[in-house]
Amino acid sequence: GDSVTQMEGPVTLSEEAFLTINCTYTATGYPSLFWYVQYPGEGLQLLLKATKADDKGSNKGFEATYRKETTSFHLEKGSVQVSDSAVYFCALSLVGYSTLTFGKGTMLLVSP
Amino acid sequence: NAGVTQTPKFRVLKTGQSMTLLCAQDMNHEYMYWYRQDPGMGLRLIHYSVGEGTTAKGEVPDGYNVSRLKKQNFLLGLESAAPSQTSVYFCASSPHEGEGNQPQHFGDGTRLSIL
C-alpha cells in the first residue's frame, strides 16, 4: 500500500539555522505530495504542495522538490525562526482519489 | 471566514457512553473526512464522504459511525466509547475539482478522553 516515511523528531535548531526534514514515499500510482504544518493547539494547515515530478513547492521561505527518481519530497528552509516551531507532516494523495496518506510527523523546535 | 468548525473542542466520557462529534464547513466542499491523531502515529483516516448522503471507511473505522445528511455537515459517532478511542479528532474538507491535487482544510480538533 501507499506510505510516507518522515525522519523522527524532535529536530532542535537555533534561530537562523538551516532546516531539512526528510520525507520519502511509496505509492501504487502517481501521487501529489504535500507538506502540512500543525502549530500547538491547532489543526493542520497546508504549507506547500507539488503535483508532478521536478515541481518545487514553496511558501513562507519553505521549499520542497518532488523527486520521482528518489521518491522523496524533503522540506527545507534556509533560516528558521522561533515562530516555525511546530509539527510538520508530509502526505501524499493519488490522482483521482481525495484521501491523504500522512507520515507520522516531525516536531521542530527552534530556540532563540 | 469560519472554514471548518468542530464541536465540541473538549469532552470527557466514561467507558460505554455514546457521543457525536459535529463538523461543519462553509466552503461548499464536496469531500469531508474524519481523522484521529495519536502520539507517534500521525493522522489516520477513520471515515470519509465524497458527497451528501455518501460515506466510506478509512484506515481505522471500527467503533465509529458517520453520517452526511447535509453537504456542509459530517457527524462522527461513538456508540460505546472505549479507552482506546482517547485521541484528538480532526475533521477536514476538500473541493471536488482536481481530485488528488486539492489540499484539505482542517478544523482545530476535538480532544476526547475516555475514562
Side-chain angles (χ1 to χ4, degrees):
Chain A
D2 304 327
S3 66
V4 175
T5 303
Q6 293 180 233
M7 60 189 292
E8 291 193 20
V11 173
T12 304
L13 295 173
S14 298
E15 204 164 26
E16 298 184 2
F18 183 84
L19 168 71
T20 299
I21 300 178
N22 291 336
C23 171
T24 57
Y25 67 89
T26 58
T28 52
Y30 190 36
S32 294
L33 302 172
F34 304 83
W35 277 101
Y36 283 82
V37 58
Q38 182 180 32
Y39 298 103
E42 298 183 9
L44 279 69
Q45 305 173 24
L46 178 70
L47 182 59
L48 54 84
K49 71 175 187 179
T51 59
K52 60 183 186 294
D54 299 325
D55 267 3
K56 178 184 283 187
S58 62
N59 186 25
K60 299 181 181 178
F62 291 90
E63 294 182 339
T65 301
Y66 188 141
R67 301 288 188 199
K68 188 177 179 183
E69 63 276 13
T70 55
T71 61
S72 65
F73 192 54
H74 305 322
L75 183 68
E76 296 182 336
K77 187 176 186 183
S79 176
V80 294
Q81 305 300 312
V82 172
S83 58
D84 293 328
S85 297
V87 180
Y88 292 81
F89 291 92
C90 186
L92 69 82
S93 66
L94 296 180
V95 174
Y97 294 84
S98 63
T99 58
L100 284 168
T101 299
F102 284 92
K104 293 184 177 180
T106 303
M107 179 178 289
L108 170 66
L109 300 172
V110 181
S111 57
Chain B
N1 195 16
V4 177
T5 303
Q6 292 183 232
T7 310
K9 295 188 184 306
F10 305 95
R11 187 73 183 269
V12 178
L13 291 178
K14 294 181 179 179
T15 297
Q17 286 185 316
S18 63
M19 80 161 295
T20 300
L21 281 64
L22 172 63
C23 176
Q25 53 96 3
D26 61 2
M27 296 171 283
N28 201 37
H29 286 168
E30 288 292 332
Y31 301 150
M32 297 187 74
Y33 316 83
W34 276 107
Y35 295 91
R36 59 178 290 172
Q37 183 179 29
D38 302 293
M41 299 296 290
L43 274 77
R44 293 180 292 171
L45 183 65
I46 304 171
H47 286 280
Y48 64 102
S49 168
V50 298
E52 183 178 319
T54 74
T55 63
K57 294 180 179 180
E59 180 185 357
V60 289
D62 294 342
Y64 305 95
N65 56 75
V66 288
S67 64
R68 183 100 181 267
L69 298 180
K70 294 183 179 180
K71 184 177 183 178
Q72 63 268 34
N73 296 337
F74 195 30
L75 278 62
L76 178 71
L78 286 73
E79 290 187 348
S80 179
S84 61
Q85 295 177 305
T86 294
S87 188
V88 182
Y89 292 86
F90 286 98
C91 178
S93 69
S94 65
H96 169 73
E97 293 77 21
E99 260 183 284
N101 293 336
Q102 293 295 330
Q104 294 182 10
H105 299 255
F106 284 80
D108 286 339
T110 295
R111 188 174 298 275
L112 183 61
S113 293
I114 315 296
L115 304 178

